[in-house]
Amino acid sequence: MKEEKFEKWMPFIERWVPLCMGLFVTAGAAVVATYAIYIFQDEFIWDFIIAAAIVIVAYTTYYLLKLKRKKDYTPEFDERTMKNVFKFFAGVSFVFIFLFFIFLGGVTLLGYHTVSLLHLWIFALLYFFISGIGLFIVKRR
Amino acid sequence: MPVKNNIKKIRKERGIKQLKMAEDLQVTRQTFTAIENNKYNPSLELALKIVNYFNVPIDEVFILEEVKR
């Protein structure tokens, strides 16, 4: 009986939960970041909230357009796509760790004792950027 | 030993559309095409779902080909 009830709600859950989760996580992250800065630096900045609002509007528009375009009831992910995504993440992580060691080795050989945080941030953001774009491509294969 | 399948043949014999079957089995169209063209071997769970869908013995759908040495 419980399973039947759950199955009745499955199409609704599959359709709207990803959007709700995305919006909730983005809004939550913006609130937590703003609050943390308010607590530690004693100033209220709007940057995170504005950025989150832009992301929420863009993501909602993209998601609704995607829903409108989709005419069939096939899922977004299945066992093969999940496997492809895991393989891709494993590969990208491996390559980035390898490049990081090369970078550290090069820096050490050149005689530097410190590395600017900016370079590490560039490296981390590059990783997120490449894995995000790659995920988008791998998901569709 | 590669696994081959007769999914495409059985599906066409029964006049089932690829999209309909992908929807019923809850897999993407790309995955279903990959399975039919023997590019991807489904998990045991999905293989059993396919067999159940056609209601035929498993060896009529999936064939284990022996490799000559």
Side-chain angles (χ1 to χ4, degrees):
Chain A
M1 193 68 185
K2 261 186 182 177
E3 270 183 22
E4 272 176 27
K5 260 189 183 175
F6 188 69
E7 272 187 18
K8 203 179 99 185
W9 286 98
M10 269 314 274
F12 179 81
I13 292 170
E14 276 177 4
R15 212 171 160 84
W16 296 111
V17 163
L19 176 67
C20 295
M21 287 264 286
L23 299 186
F24 182 75
V25 168
T26 312
V31 169
V32 168
T34 308
Y35 188 67
I37 288 190
Y38 183 70
I39 295 285
F40 294 113
Q41 292 181 358
D42 208 23
E43 59 177 324
F44 188 87
I45 55 166
W46 286 93
D47 302 28
F48 292 115
I49 292 176
I50 293 168
I54 293 169
V55 169
I56 284 172
V57 170
Y59 181 63
T60 308
T61 314
Y62 162 76
Y63 195 85
L64 293 178
L65 281 176
K66 198 174 78 175
L67 275 187
K68 206 177 168 189
R69 235 185 288 152
K70 196 169 166 62
K71 298 273 183 249
D72 55 58
Y73 293 98
T74 52
E76 281 289 304
F77 281 96
D78 61 20
E79 54 174 52
R80 189 185 64 96
T81 44
M82 290 299 279
K83 243 184 229 174
N84 286 347
V85 167
F86 279 124
K87 261 192 228 167
F88 170 73
F89 274 129
V92 167
S93 307
F94 183 81
V95 169
F96 264 83
I97 289 170
F98 175 75
L99 288 176
F100 189 67
F101 272 101
I102 298 281
F103 170 73
L104 277 185
V107 166
T108 311
L109 278 177
L110 287 171
Y112 291 103
H113 293 287
T114 53
V115 179
S116 165
L117 259 182
L118 179 71
H119 293 116
L120 297 180
W121 270 114
I122 290 172
F123 202 80
L125 290 175
L126 202 65
Y127 171 73
F128 288 124
F129 183 70
I130 289 175
S131 51
I133 291 187
L135 176 68
F136 195 72
I137 296 165
V138 166
K139 211 179 88 174
R140 285 163 180 269
R141 280 181 65 206
Chain B
M1 283 193 281
V3 179
K4 301 279 173 195
N5 67 68
N6 293 322
I7 296 171
K8 201 173 192 171
K9 195 179 135 212
I10 302 172
R11 180 178 64 75
K12 284 195 170 170
E13 276 171 7
R14 299 191 182 190
I16 304 166
K17 288 257 160 61
Q18 197 184 40
L19 183 62
K20 166 89 174 65
M21 204 166 155
E23 282 175 348
D24 291 341
L25 295 169
Q26 278 299 291
V27 292
T28 59
R29 200 178 180 147
Q30 292 94 321
T31 296
F32 197 74
T33 309
I35 295 170
E36 277 195 344
N37 294 331
N38 295 306
K39 299 261 190 265
Y40 171 72
N41 283 331
S43 66
L44 180 61
E45 187 185 340
L46 183 54
L48 291 173
K49 272 187 193 172
I50 293 167
V51 169
N52 210 24
Y53 190 87
F54 289 137
N55 200 17
V56 288
I58 196 160
D59 56 347
E60 270 187 39
V61 184
F62 295 99
I63 305 133
L64 185 64
E65 285 196 341
E66 300 232 359
V67 178
K68 285 176 188 169
R69 289 186 186 179

Short mmCIF file of all heavy atoms in Angstrom, two decimals, chain A residues 3-39:
data_model
loop_
_atom_site.label_atom_id
_atom_site.label_comp_id
_atom_site.label_asym_id
_atom_site.label_seq_id
_atom_site.Cartn_x
_atom_site.Cartn_y
_atom_site.Cartn_z
N GLU A 3 3.97 1.41 -0.91
CA GLU A 3 4.72 1.46 -2.18
C GLU A 3 3.85 2.03 -3.30
O GLU A 3 4.33 2.79 -4.13
CB GLU A 3 5.21 0.07 -2.55
CG GLU A 3 6.59 -0.20 -1.98
CD GLU A 3 7.13 -1.55 -2.39
OE1 GLU A 3 6.67 -2.08 -3.40
OE2 GLU A 3 8.00 -2.06 -1.66
N GLU A 4 2.57 1.63 -3.32
CA GLU A 4 1.65 2.13 -4.34
C GLU A 4 1.52 3.64 -4.25
O GLU A 4 1.53 4.35 -5.25
CB GLU A 4 0.28 1.49 -4.16
CG GLU A 4 0.14 0.17 -4.91
CD GLU A 4 -1.20 -0.50 -4.65
OE1 GLU A 4 -2.17 0.21 -4.35
OE2 GLU A 4 -1.24 -1.74 -4.73
N LYS A 5 1.40 4.12 -3.00
CA LYS A 5 1.27 5.57 -2.77
C LYS A 5 2.51 6.28 -3.26
O LYS A 5 2.44 7.32 -3.91
CB LYS A 5 1.08 5.84 -1.27
CG LYS A 5 -0.35 6.09 -0.89
CD LYS A 5 -0.41 6.56 0.54
CE LYS A 5 -1.83 6.75 0.97
NZ LYS A 5 -1.92 7.09 2.40
N PHE A 6 3.68 5.68 -2.95
CA PHE A 6 4.96 6.26 -3.34
C PHE A 6 5.08 6.30 -4.86
O PHE A 6 5.50 7.30 -5.43
CB PHE A 6 6.08 5.43 -2.72
CG PHE A 6 7.44 6.03 -2.90
CD1 PHE A 6 7.78 7.21 -2.24
CD2 PHE A 6 8.37 5.45 -3.74
CE1 PHE A 6 9.03 7.78 -2.40
CE2 PHE A 6 9.62 6.01 -3.91
CZ PHE A 6 9.95 7.18 -3.24
N GLU A 7 4.67 5.19 -5.51
CA GLU A 7 4.75 5.13 -6.97
C GLU A 7 3.86 6.16 -7.64
O GLU A 7 4.19 6.66 -8.71
CB GLU A 7 4.40 3.72 -7.45
CG GLU A 7 5.62 2.82 -7.50
CD GLU A 7 5.36 1.48 -8.13
OE1 GLU A 7 4.35 1.34 -8.83
OE2 GLU A 7 6.18 0.57 -7.89
N LYS A 8 2.74 6.47 -7.00
CA LYS A 8 1.82 7.47 -7.53
C LYS A 8 2.50 8.84 -7.58
O LYS A 8 2.26 9.63 -8.49
CB LYS A 8 0.58 7.52 -6.63
CG LYS A 8 -0.65 8.07 -7.32
CD LYS A 8 -1.83 8.08 -6.40
CE LYS A 8 -2.04 9.45 -5.82
NZ LYS A 8 -3.11 9.51 -4.83
N TRP A 9 3.36 9.09 -6.59
CA TRP A 9 4.02 10.39 -6.51
C TRP A 9 5.34 10.44 -7.28
O TRP A 9 5.91 11.52 -7.43
CB TRP A 9 4.28 10.74 -5.03
CG TRP A 9 3.03 11.15 -4.34
CD1 TRP A 9 2.24 10.37 -3.55
CD2 TRP A 9 2.40 12.43 -4.38
NE1 TRP A 9 1.16 11.08 -3.11
CE2 TRP A 9 1.23 12.35 -3.60
CE3 TRP A 9 2.71 13.65 -5.02
CZ2 TRP A 9 0.36 13.43 -3.44
CZ3 TRP A 9 1.86 14.72 -4.84
CH2 TRP A 9 0.70 14.60 -4.07
N MET A 10 5.82 9.27 -7.76
CA MET A 10 7.14 9.23 -8.41
C MET A 10 7.29 10.20 -9.59
O MET A 10 8.30 10.91 -9.65
CB MET A 10 7.47 7.80 -8.87
CG MET A 10 8.23 6.98 -7.84
SD MET A 10 9.59 7.84 -7.09
CE MET A 10 10.87 7.49 -8.27
N PRO A 11 6.31 10.24 -10.54
CA PRO A 11 6.49 11.19 -11.66
C PRO A 11 6.64 12.63 -11.18
O PRO A 11 7.48 13.38 -11.69
CB PRO A 11 5.20 11.02 -12.48
CG PRO A 11 4.68 9.69 -12.11
CD PRO A 11 5.10 9.45 -10.69
N PHE A 12 5.86 13.00 -10.17
CA PHE A 12 5.93 14.36 -9.63
C PHE A 12 7.30 14.61 -9.00
O PHE A 12 7.93 15.65 -9.23
CB PHE A 12 4.81 14.55 -8.58
CG PHE A 12 4.81 15.91 -7.96
CD1 PHE A 12 4.24 16.99 -8.61
CD2 PHE A 12 5.41 16.12 -6.72
CE1 PHE A 12 4.25 18.26 -8.05
CE2 PHE A 12 5.42 17.38 -6.15
CZ PHE A 12 4.84 18.44 -6.81
N ILE A 13 7.76 13.63 -8.21
CA ILE A 13 9.06 13.76 -7.53
C ILE A 13 10.18 13.87 -8.56
O ILE A 13 11.02 14.76 -8.48
CB ILE A 13 9.30 12.55 -6.59
CG1 ILE A 13 8.32 12.59 -5.42
CG2 ILE A 13 10.74 12.52 -6.07
CD1 ILE A 13 8.29 11.34 -4.57
N GLU A 14 10.16 12.97 -9.56
CA GLU A 14 11.21 12.98 -10.58
C GLU A 14 11.24 14.30 -11.36
O GLU A 14 12.27 14.75 -11.81
CB GLU A 14 11.00 11.84 -11.57
CG GLU A 14 11.58 10.54 -11.07
CD GLU A 14 11.30 9.39 -12.00
OE1 GLU A 14 10.72 9.60 -13.08
OE2 GLU A 14 11.63 8.26 -11.62
N ARG A 15 10.07 14.91 -11.50
CA ARG A 15 9.96 16.14 -12.30
C ARG A 15 10.42 17.38 -11.54
O ARG A 15 11.13 18.21 -12.08
CB ARG A 15 8.49 16.30 -12.70
CG ARG A 15 8.25 16.96 -14.02
CD ARG A 15 6.78 16.85 -14.35
NE ARG A 15 6.39 17.82 -15.33
CZ ARG A 15 6.53 17.67 -16.64
NH1 ARG A 15 7.05 16.57 -17.09
NH2 ARG A 15 6.13 18.60 -17.49
N TRP A 16 10.03 17.48 -10.28
CA TRP A 16 10.24 18.74 -9.58
C TRP A 16 11.32 18.73 -8.51
O TRP A 16 11.83 19.79 -8.15
CB TRP A 16 8.92 19.23 -8.96
CG TRP A 16 7.92 19.54 -10.03
CD1 TRP A 16 6.78 18.84 -10.30
CD2 TRP A 16 7.99 20.57 -11.02
NE1 TRP A 16 6.13 19.37 -11.39
CE2 TRP A 16 6.85 20.44 -11.86
CE3 TRP A 16 8.90 21.59 -11.30
CZ2 TRP A 16 6.61 21.29 -12.92
CZ3 TRP A 16 8.65 22.43 -12.38
CH2 TRP A 16 7.52 22.28 -13.16
N VAL A 17 11.69 17.54 -7.99
CA VAL A 17 12.69 17.50 -6.92
C VAL A 17 14.06 18.05 -7.35
O VAL A 17 14.65 18.83 -6.60
CB VAL A 17 12.80 16.09 -6.29
CG1 VAL A 17 14.07 15.92 -5.49
CG2 VAL A 17 11.61 15.85 -5.38
N PRO A 18 14.58 17.73 -8.57
CA PRO A 18 15.88 18.29 -8.95
C PRO A 18 15.88 19.83 -8.93
O PRO A 18 16.84 20.44 -8.47
CB PRO A 18 16.10 17.77 -10.37
CG PRO A 18 15.28 16.55 -10.44
CD PRO A 18 14.09 16.79 -9.59
N LEU A 19 14.78 20.43 -9.41
CA LEU A 19 14.69 21.90 -9.41
C LEU A 19 14.68 22.43 -7.97
O LEU A 19 15.44 23.34 -7.63
CB LEU A 19 13.43 22.35 -10.16
CG LEU A 19 13.18 23.85 -10.15
CD1 LEU A 19 14.24 24.58 -10.96
CD2 LEU A 19 11.81 24.18 -10.72
N CYS A 20 13.82 21.83 -7.13
CA CYS A 20 13.71 22.29 -5.74
C CYS A 20 15.05 22.14 -5.01
O CYS A 20 15.46 23.03 -4.27
CB CYS A 20 12.63 21.51 -5.00
SG CYS A 20 11.01 21.80 -5.67
N MET A 21 15.71 21.00 -5.24
CA MET A 21 17.01 20.77 -4.59
C MET A 21 18.02 21.83 -5.01
O MET A 21 18.73 22.40 -4.18
CB MET A 21 17.56 19.39 -4.99
CG MET A 21 16.85 18.23 -4.35
SD MET A 21 17.68 17.68 -2.89
CE MET A 21 19.07 16.84 -3.62
N GLY A 22 18.08 22.10 -6.32
CA GLY A 22 19.01 23.10 -6.85
C GLY A 22 18.77 24.46 -6.23
O GLY A 22 19.70 25.13 -5.78
N LEU A 23 17.49 24.85 -6.18
CA LEU A 23 17.14 26.17 -5.63
C LEU A 23 17.46 26.23 -4.14
O LEU A 23 18.01 27.22 -3.65
CB LEU A 23 15.66 26.46 -5.86
CG LEU A 23 15.20 26.50 -7.33
CD1 LEU A 23 13.75 26.96 -7.42
CD2 LEU A 23 16.08 27.41 -8.16
N PHE A 24 17.12 25.16 -3.43
CA PHE A 24 17.34 25.12 -1.99
C PHE A 24 18.84 25.20 -1.66
O PHE A 24 19.25 25.98 -0.79
CB PHE A 24 16.74 23.83 -1.42
CG PHE A 24 16.85 23.70 0.06
CD1 PHE A 24 16.04 24.44 0.91
CD2 PHE A 24 17.78 22.85 0.62
CE1 PHE A 24 16.16 24.33 2.28
CE2 PHE A 24 17.91 22.73 1.99
CZ PHE A 24 17.09 23.47 2.82
N VAL A 25 19.65 24.42 -2.38
CA VAL A 25 21.10 24.40 -2.12
C VAL A 25 21.71 25.77 -2.44
O VAL A 25 22.51 26.30 -1.65
CB VAL A 25 21.79 23.28 -2.94
CG1 VAL A 25 23.30 23.41 -2.91
CG2 VAL A 25 21.38 21.91 -2.41
N THR A 26 21.32 26.37 -3.58
CA THR A 26 21.88 27.68 -3.95
C THR A 26 21.50 28.74 -2.93
O THR A 26 22.36 29.49 -2.45
CB THR A 26 21.34 28.11 -5.34
OG1 THR A 26 21.49 27.01 -6.23
CG2 THR A 26 22.07 29.29 -5.88
N ALA A 27 20.21 28.78 -2.58
CA ALA A 27 19.76 29.79 -1.61
C ALA A 27 20.42 29.55 -0.25
O ALA A 27 20.89 30.50 0.40
CB ALA A 27 18.24 29.73 -1.49
N GLY A 28 20.50 28.30 0.16
CA GLY A 28 21.11 27.95 1.45
C GLY A 28 22.57 28.36 1.50
O GLY A 28 23.02 28.96 2.48
N ALA A 29 23.30 28.07 0.41
CA ALA A 29 24.72 28.41 0.37
C ALA A 29 24.91 29.93 0.46
O ALA A 29 25.80 30.41 1.16
CB ALA A 29 25.34 27.88 -0.92
N ALA A 30 24.04 30.68 -0.25
CA ALA A 30 24.15 32.15 -0.22
C ALA A 30 23.88 32.68 1.19
O ALA A 30 24.62 33.55 1.68
CB ALA A 30 23.16 32.75 -1.22
N VAL A 31 22.88 32.14 1.84
CA VAL A 31 22.53 32.60 3.20
C VAL A 31 23.66 32.27 4.17
O VAL A 31 24.09 33.12 4.97
CB VAL A 31 21.19 31.96 3.66
CG1 VAL A 31 20.95 32.21 5.14
CG2 VAL A 31 20.04 32.53 2.84
N VAL A 32 24.19 31.03 4.09
CA VAL A 32 25.27 30.62 4.99
C VAL A 32 26.51 31.48 4.77
O VAL A 32 27.13 31.95 5.74
CB VAL A 32 25.60 29.11 4.79
CG1 VAL A 32 26.89 28.73 5.49
CG2 VAL A 32 24.46 28.24 5.29
N ALA A 33 26.88 31.72 3.49
CA ALA A 33 28.07 32.53 3.19
C ALA A 33 27.90 33.96 3.70
O ALA A 33 28.81 34.52 4.33
CB ALA A 33 28.32 32.53 1.68
N THR A 34 26.72 34.53 3.46
CA THR A 34 26.46 35.91 3.92
C THR A 34 26.52 35.98 5.45
O THR A 34 27.13 36.90 6.01
CB THR A 34 25.07 36.37 3.42
OG1 THR A 34 25.00 36.16 2.03
CG2 THR A 34 24.83 37.84 3.72
N TYR A 35 25.92 35.00 6.09
CA TYR A 35 25.89 34.96 7.56
C TYR A 35 27.30 34.79 8.11
O TYR A 35 27.68 35.46 9.09
CB TYR A 35 24.99 33.81 8.01
CG TYR A 35 24.71 33.78 9.49
CD1 TYR A 35 23.95 34.79 10.07
CD2 TYR A 35 25.21 32.77 10.29
CE1 TYR A 35 23.70 34.79 11.44
CE2 TYR A 35 24.97 32.75 11.65
CZ TYR A 35 24.21 33.76 12.21
OH TYR A 35 23.97 33.75 13.57
N ALA A 36 28.10 33.91 7.48
CA ALA A 36 29.47 33.67 7.96
C ALA A 36 30.29 34.94 7.86
O ALA A 36 31.03 35.28 8.80
CB ALA A 36 30.12 32.56 7.12
N ILE A 37 30.14 35.68 6.76
CA ILE A 37 30.89 36.94 6.61
C ILE A 37 30.41 37.97 7.64
O ILE A 37 31.21 38.70 8.21
CB ILE A 37 30.78 37.46 5.15
CG1 ILE A 37 31.63 36.53 4.28
CG2 ILE A 37 31.21 38.91 5.03
CD1 ILE A 37 31.87 36.95 2.90
N TYR A 38 29.12 37.96 7.87
CA TYR A 38 28.56 38.89 8.87
C TYR A 38 29.11 38.58 10.26
O TYR A 38 29.45 39.48 11.03
CB TYR A 38 27.04 38.78 8.85
CG TYR A 38 26.35 39.74 9.79
CD1 TYR A 38 26.34 41.12 9.51
CD2 TYR A 38 25.73 39.30 10.94
CE1 TYR A 38 25.73 42.00 10.36
CE2 TYR A 38 25.10 40.18 11.80
CZ TYR A 38 25.11 41.54 11.51
OH TYR A 38 24.51 42.42 12.37
N ILE A 39 29.24 37.30 10.58
CA ILE A 39 29.74 36.89 11.90
C ILE A 39 31.24 37.19 12.03
O ILE A 39 31.67 37.78 13.02
CB ILE A 39 29.51 35.36 12.12
CG1 ILE A 39 28.01 35.03 12.17
CG2 ILE A 39 30.23 34.83 13.36
CD1 ILE A 39 27.32 35.42 13.45
#
